[in-house]
Every structure is written in structure tokens, then in C-alpha cells.
Amino acid sequence: MLSVATRNCVMKGSDETLLDQAARGDTHALRELLARFGPRARLSIQGKVDRRHRSILDEDDVMQVTYLEAFLHIDQLISRDPNVFVAWLSRIAQNALRDALRGLERDKRPNPANRIQHGSADSYVALIDRLGVATATPSRQAAAHEVRHSLTESLDKLPTDYRTVVGLCDLQGLDIASAAREMGRSPGAVHMLRARAHDRLRAIMGSGTQFFSQSP
């Protein structure tokens, strides 16, 4: 844990120094960067939530997910230029908002997944299919063993909010509104969290998983 003196030094550091420290895993430095530059990134999404969705999605929801993504991916930022950091953070915010709006539109359509017996092997197969990480549709036998085991291991590597939203929406079959109530989030935030959780699962599991049984 950083001492008070060290923390004060971090708070007073130059933007470039803070970026270097954050990229090396210093969470205090990243929090300071988000405090300094988050409002500028927020401007990139200002006014982009249309009237139809304002009751269930706001900019605070978008920025919460943006900051979570920043903590997950700051090590991938090579540049130590503050303007590049703002542009990077703004892209995350814009992508998060896009995912939320797409999810809200998708939520209005009939969902074939509602016919799945959630909590069963079929729900794991359906999630694998949605993620697109298997080279063939896993068999029911595989789903009961390999798929469930692989997904469980991968879910354990997700941040808590991501793991929770996948469990509620994809495995338990809750609709977005119900999941939002369970998590104390807005429906828009849940859509964003779910989309990001799926992206993270794809990265963890790989895009060409070969080990699932392909027998019918």
C-alpha cells in the first residue's frame, strides 16, 4: 500500500509520469488520471443518448463502465501523451454507449433464448454459441462437462460485475430489467456490462476453441 507521502507525490505528478505509473499497474495513478481527464472523455458522449432511452440510460452509466474498462486495459496503452489517453478513453466511452444502445434496441425484439432451460447445459451451449468461440456446436454431452467446466473457469477470471451480469442474463435467463434490479444498475448499464463481459470472455477463451466434442 502506498504511503501518504507517496500518494501525494502521485497526485502532483505530471500527466506523462502518471500515465507511465498507471500502465505499470499503479491504480492510484490511474484514478488521478481519470479524475483529471474523465470529464473530457465524457464530452465525447454528451447529448448522444436520444430521448427514447434517457429514462433508462445516462452518461454516468456510460462513464462507470468506461472507467472499469480503463482499469482492465490501461496496460495496452503505449503512448504517454495525455491527449492520446483522452482519445483512448473517449473511444471506450463511445463504444460502451454504442453497445448499450444496440442492446436496448435488441431487447425490444422477441428473444429465442427465452425457450432455453436456463441453468441447464443448454444455457452454457447457448452462451458458447453467442460468443462464437467454438469451431462447431458442442454436443449435449460436451456441454455437461467440457463446456460448463471451461466457461466456469473463464467466468472466474472476470471482474465481479462482468461475472455477475453473465450469470444473471445468460445462465439464469433474467431479462435486462430484472438483472438491473438485482445489480442495482440501470438497464443501459447492464447492456454495456454484458457486452463488455462477452468481449472479455472471448479474449479469455480464444476465438477458435477446438476441444469441444463435435459428436451429435
Side-chain angles (χ1 to χ4, degrees):
M1 182 177 293
L2 294 179
S3 66
V4 173
T6 303
R7 288 184 188 179
N8 288 339
C9 182
V10 167
M11 295 289 283
K12 296 176 182 177
S14 70
D15 297 334
E16 292 80 5
T17 299
L18 289 173
L19 279 165
D20 187 62
Q21 292 170 334
R24 295 173 185 273
D26 188 330
T27 58
H28 295 287
L30 181 52
R31 288 192 182 97
E32 173 62 17
L33 286 167
L34 294 176
R36 291 185 186 185
F37 298 112
R40 286 173 60 183
R42 187 189 184 104
L43 289 174
S44 71
I45 60 167
Q46 191 169 7
K48 293 188 178 180
V49 180
D50 62 44
R51 188 175 303 174
R52 293 174 299 158
H53 299 125
R54 285 176 193 162
S55 63
I56 53 178
L57 176 66
D58 61 29
E59 292 166 9
D60 287 337
D61 296 325
V62 178
M63 295 311 297
Q64 285 177 20
V65 175
T66 298
Y67 293 157
L68 175 56
E69 285 288 304
F71 274 96
L72 291 174
H73 300 297
I74 185 61
D75 61 320
Q76 299 174 9
L77 186 67
I78 297 174
S79 174
R80 299 298 180 259
D81 184 335
N83 291 322
V84 173
F85 177 75
V86 172
W88 176 74
L89 200 62
S90 297
R91 282 195 301 274
I92 295 175
Q94 291 160 10
N95 290 339
L97 176 58
R98 178 203 62 203
D99 289 341
L101 294 175
R102 286 179 178 174
L104 289 168
E105 289 300 320
R106 191 184 305 117
D107 202 37
K108 296 177 181 178
R109 307 171 196 149
N111 184 5
N114 290 336
R115 297 193 293 270
I116 295 171
Q117 183 182 350
H118 288 92
S120 69
D122 284 347
S123 65
Y124 286 80
V125 172
L127 179 53
I128 285 289
D129 186 58
R130 184 183 182 97
L131 294 174
V133 294
T135 56
T137 301
S139 67
R140 288 179 182 276
Q141 183 178 5
H145 302 289
E146 298 169 76
V147 176
R148 187 187 292 264
H149 177 71
S150 177
L151 268 174
T152 299
E153 283 193 337
S154 298
L155 284 168
D156 286 343
K157 298 175 184 177
L158 294 179
T160 300
D161 282 344
Y162 288 1
R163 185 168 61 248
T164 299
V165 76
V166 170
L168 292 174
C169 294
D170 295 295
L171 301 182
Q172 295 183 34
L174 295 188
D175 59 33
I176 293 296
S178 299
R181 287 193 292 272
E182 287 284 333
M183 297 181 70
R185 301 269 193 167
S186 73
V190 170
H191 278 299
M192 283 185 289
L193 288 168
R194 189 184 184 194
R196 293 305 181 190
H198 286 178
D199 286 344
R200 194 73 170 172
L201 275 175
R202 289 186 191 98
I204 292 170
M205 300 184 74
S207 59
T209 303
Q210 298 279 350
F211 56 79
F212 299 129
S213 168
Q214 298 183 26
S215 61

